[in-house]
Amino acid sequence: MSRAARLLDLLQVFRRYKRPVSGATLAEELGVSLRTIYRDIETLKAQGAAIDGEAGVGFVLKPGFMLPPLMFSEDEIEALVLGSRWVAERTDQPLGQAARNALTKIAAVLPPDLRAGLDDSTLLVGRGAPLAAGESELPAIRDAIRRQRKLEISYADVNGACSERVIWPIALAFFDRARVIVAWCELRNDFRHFRADRIISLTVDAKGYPQRRAVLMKQWQAKEGIHLRSRSD
């Protein structure tokens, strides 16, 4: 591996960790000596990377240092193409268009040889089931999740019985045949899962819900026994 590639890999590893990471961990991940890690950290600092910490304590990369768009591996390019194609085909229209736009922006800054790989990718997304009804509400739901706003919904259960709910949406899951909202339900005083295609009407509340979404997400994960992959995993 060239030194330039190793420095780029080191920055990528740093970005996966939100908290200080030891030099020994970095050395193990990159397959180099601890002395090399310390030398590479000093090189990155000299190039403008804001890396705090010291040997024996750990290091952390502050946000804001931008990588030049030099290197994507072939696997990384195929992952980007496949992911964007899946989002474009299996989510709501605004999110699908955002995926296409993101790929266009990436293509614009790639060197010509790597840019060709975006169009030549042989990984395809197979045709799935038709999107369920209720897709038109997904952008509003995603916005409510981002802004941590309550939703007032009329909801029909599997038997068609309708109820009025106030929910605190924290996540949106995309399955092949359905889109499912993970939320705290004020009526049930517990977490519930709501299919978007069973929402009859929806209003976004101007007020935010009283707990932080990150806290609610951890509580839901603990209840369901779910561990979502983080950047440091």
Side-chain angles (χ1 to χ4, degrees):
M1 180 187 295
S2 69
R3 187 160 184 258
R6 192 178 68 240
L7 292 174
L8 289 170
D9 283 349
L10 177 56
L11 282 171
Q12 294 297 82
V13 172
F14 265 127
R15 285 196 167 99
R16 294 205 305 268
Y17 288 91
K18 298 179 182 179
R19 290 179 285 275
V21 55
S22 70
T25 298
L26 295 171
E28 182 179 356
E29 287 206 29
L30 294 176
V32 298
S33 69
L34 186 58
R35 181 178 180 181
T36 297
I37 288 295
Y38 291 153
R39 186 169 62 244
D40 287 349
I41 287 174
E42 291 305 315
T43 299
L44 289 173
K45 285 182 177 180
Q47 294 179 358
I51 300 175
D52 286 344
E54 58 185 75
V57 177
F59 301 90
V60 63
L61 174 67
K62 290 184 177 180
F65 183 67
M66 301 299 293
L67 275 174
L70 296 178
M71 295 192 185
F72 284 108
S73 70
E74 290 182 353
D75 284 347
E76 289 169 340
I77 287 176
E78 289 197 326
L80 288 169
V81 173
L82 182 61
S84 66
R85 286 175 177 171
W86 191 96
V87 171
E89 292 294 330
R90 303 293 180 84
T91 63
D92 58 86
Q93 193 278 330
L95 199 59
Q97 187 59 52
R100 298 184 189 96
N101 292 343
L103 202 60
T104 300
K105 290 178 181 179
I106 292 170
V109 297
L110 285 175
D113 57 329
L114 293 180
R115 190 182 309 134
L118 292 177
D119 296 325
D120 295 341
S121 175
T122 56
L123 301 183
L124 306 176
V125 176
R127 185 180 298 276
L131 291 176
E135 182 194 3
S136 62
E137 303 289 1
L138 295 183
I141 294 167
R142 290 191 287 105
D143 182 64
I145 292 172
R146 280 195 297 265
R147 297 192 296 127
Q148 302 183 129
R149 293 291 189 264
K150 294 182 180 182
L151 292 176
E152 299 174 10
I153 64 173
S154 296
Y155 188 75
D157 65 17
V158 66
N159 297 314
C162 185
S163 61
E164 303 299 317
R165 309 284 187 107
V166 176
I167 63 174
W168 311 350
I170 61 172
L172 183 60
F174 288 82
F175 296 94
D176 196 38
R177 295 178 180 274
R179 312 297 177 253
V180 176
I181 307 161
V182 179
W184 178 267
C185 177
E186 292 188 357
L187 179 65
R188 302 302 184 195
N189 197 34
D190 200 358
F191 291 104
R192 289 291 188 270
H193 303 142
F194 300 91
R195 285 182 51 147
D197 57 319
R198 293 179 183 162
I199 293 177
I200 300 170
S201 64
L202 176 152
T203 302
V204 179
D205 198 313
K207 300 185 299 244
Y209 42 75
Q211 293 192 50
R212 292 192 304 116
R213 184 180 65 246
V215 173
L216 292 167
M217 179 65 78
K218 289 181 179 179
Q219 293 173 352
W220 171 74
Q221 287 177 243
K223 180 177 184 291
E224 297 292 327
I226 294 173
H227 173 68
L228 299 181
R229 186 181 295 273
S230 66
R231 288 187 298 170
S232 61
D233 286 349

